[in-house]
Amino acid sequence: PLGALWSPASTRFALWAPTARQVALHLYEDGAAGSPLLTLELSRGQRGVWEAVAEGDLDGRYYDFSVTDSDGITRRTADPWARACGRDGARSMVLDLRRTDPENWAADTAPAHAPEDIIYELHVRDFSHDASSGVPEALRGTYKALTLTGTTLDGDGVHPTCIDYLKRLGVNYVQLMPVFDYGSVPEDGSDAFNWGYDPVNYNVPEGSYSTDPYHGEVRIREFKQMVAALHKAGIGVVMDVVYNHMYRQENVLNHTVPYYFFRQNPDGTLSNGSGCGCEFCCERPMARRYMIDSILYWAREYHIDGFRFDLMGLLDTGLMNRIEKELALRYGKGEKMVFGEPWSADETPMEKQAVPALKCHVDQLDPHVGFFCDDTRDAVKGHTFEGEEPGFVNGGEGLEEEILASVRAWCGPESKVKAPSQVITYVSAHDNWTLWDKLSLTIPDEKERMQANRMAAAIYMTGNGLMNSMNLQSITAD
């Protein structure tokens, strides 16, 4: 086990840094400021793991490392395997995780599977940031907002609040846009916004969605409270995970083992298949282990019910099948959802033995590893990048066969799709033209636009495959 392993009597610190010639641990009172209370030298153990044991109860203490590489360059870094952190993620945190469990957390279970999975993509801050959400101002944009039920009354009438709103829509899963600690939004309460596709600490919840980012245990407790409340309402929780890249080249993985975790071009520069400049090299053994450890940790500690992989085409089919297998071994086949985007942002120098998890390779994926079906999306509403190019519901011609294939989840004798369970049927996501915006560009008449909107819903809600109902708000608005 790597990271800070707490017990009441002592904490064992373990960091994998095989290229380092010296590693030191620094302990702090505060998560973002102040000088170290104590510095300890770590000893090099087997397989490149550096270790130290600090005596006493360190629950609530913050820490980081100084890692000196073989060239004599010292880098200050947080812990890549950290399970908690301070404000903005610069320092990691020792924590008794059981102290963050809500009441009856051990009894929390995922809702029973329904005949079909209807998934609603949700951004934690957006969902309750506006006053019309009915959420008290102090809780808007937070994990706590997603624990609220009931109705609110204003001049426009009675409105369901958060969980009741989701239940009214009829969804049984929420797909949370990235909720691990990300880098583009400061956690000091300033009014900043980002989708969150810029990871900093993969195993720690984002602090800007908590009511107190200065105390590392708060974000963890409130995240668990959110999951428990959604489960109680019969709604499963899927995490949108971004293991394909990190926020910037200067990150915790590069500071501990320079360049090991990231793909490089022949000239030594970092590959940019993610469009973000630092693409994860999941083929390498410890990078693979890091991802699998992280996913299993979220499933175990936070009771997460599924994982949506951003730019899954930058990961390989063997890894995706391994993730599904590891989850199935612990929770049962198909109990945890695994799916992703079967494309990348650009070409990648993936190592030769690996097969990228692209749409053209879906036949090499386990039937329980799903993919977003852009063929259905584009057949229904038109090309995702060309705003005025219509699809079937807004005037496109010659698309009947594509619609029939969409309804069959693209299964057939000439298809690489193994089973409908692989197909995420959708027409709108956070990227590119939403369905309603696309219809607004291609159908001037509002009444006709609403009819086309309903037709699109009829196609993806009655077709085979998993349903990712991104556009339910506009469907139910009339």
Side-chain angles (χ1 to χ4, degrees), residues 179-381:
V179 285
F180 45 60
D181 181 51
Y182 62 83
S184 56
V185 172
E187 295 179 353
D188 58 3
S190 57
D191 193 21
F193 176 87
N194 197 281
W195 282 345
Y197 292 88
D198 41 14
V200 172
N201 287 291
Y202 278 112
N203 300 315
V204 186
E206 166 61 16
S208 66
Y209 301 148
S210 74
T211 60
D212 180 4
Y214 291 85
H215 293 86
E217 71 277 12
V218 176
R219 64 182 75 189
I220 295 173
R221 183 182 303 112
E222 292 178 351
F223 191 103
K224 290 177 177 179
Q225 289 170 339
M226 171 188 68
V227 172
L230 288 165
H231 281 173
K232 185 177 179 181
I235 299 171
V237 180
V238 174
M239 273 183 69
D240 188 338
V241 289
V242 191
Y243 291 106
N244 62 75
H245 74 275
M246 292 197 78
Y247 180 36
R248 53 169 64 100
Q249 184 173 341
E250 298 295 312
N251 60 64
V252 292
L253 293 171
N254 242 356
H255 283 164
T256 51
V257 193
Y259 294 100
Y260 175 85
F261 289 93
F262 301 94
R263 295 190 187 117
Q264 292 171 268
N265 299 310
D267 64 359
T269 59
L270 291 179
S271 173
N272 197 20
S274 66
C276 301
C278 49
E279 173 193 331
F280 202 75
C281 189
C282 62
E283 309 94 283
R284 294 177 180 163
M286 280 300 286
R288 218 170 183 79
R289 176 193 158 170
Y290 183 83
M291 277 188 58
I292 294 169
D293 279 358
S294 179
I295 290 158
L296 295 177
Y297 174 70
W298 283 101
R300 180 180 69 252
E301 184 66 33
Y302 291 94
H303 303 179
I304 296 298
D305 305 305
F307 300 89
R308 178 266 192 198
F309 289 80
D310 183 66
L311 296 182
M312 188 173 71
L314 291 176
L315 310 177
D316 64 271
T317 56
L319 172 62
M320 295 308 303
N321 290 337
R322 172 76 183 280
I323 290 167
E324 195 284 327
K325 179 181 177 180
E326 295 291 343
L327 289 167
L329 284 171
R330 290 159 176 79
Y331 303 101
K333 194 73 172 175
E335 287 300 310
K336 300 291 186 182
M337 300 174 73
V338 177
F339 59 94
E341 297 178 303
W343 49 75
S344 62
D346 206 342
E347 293 184 3
T348 173
M350 187 178 286
E351 294 180 7
K352 290 182 180 179
Q353 79 276 12
V355 178
L358 297 165
K359 185 169 61 175
C360 59
H361 297 140
V362 297
D363 57 332
Q364 298 189 46
L365 291 170
D366 184 279
H368 286 89
V369 177
F371 66 93
F372 281 85
C373 190
D374 55 340
D375 292 318
T376 296
R377 177 196 68 195
D378 292 352
V380 171
K381 71 176 184 181

Side-chain angles (χ1 to χ4, degrees), residues 1-6 12-16 46-47 49-52 79 81-83 286 289 293 300:
L2 297 169
L5 304 175
W6 170 88
R12 171 182 173 264
F13 296 88
L15 178 71
W16 188 69
Q46 295 182 341
R47 301 183 181 181
V49 177
W50 294 77
E51 298 178 77
D79 183 355
W81 269 266
R83 297 165 183 84
M286 280 300 286
R289 176 193 158 170
D293 279 358
R300 180 180 69 252

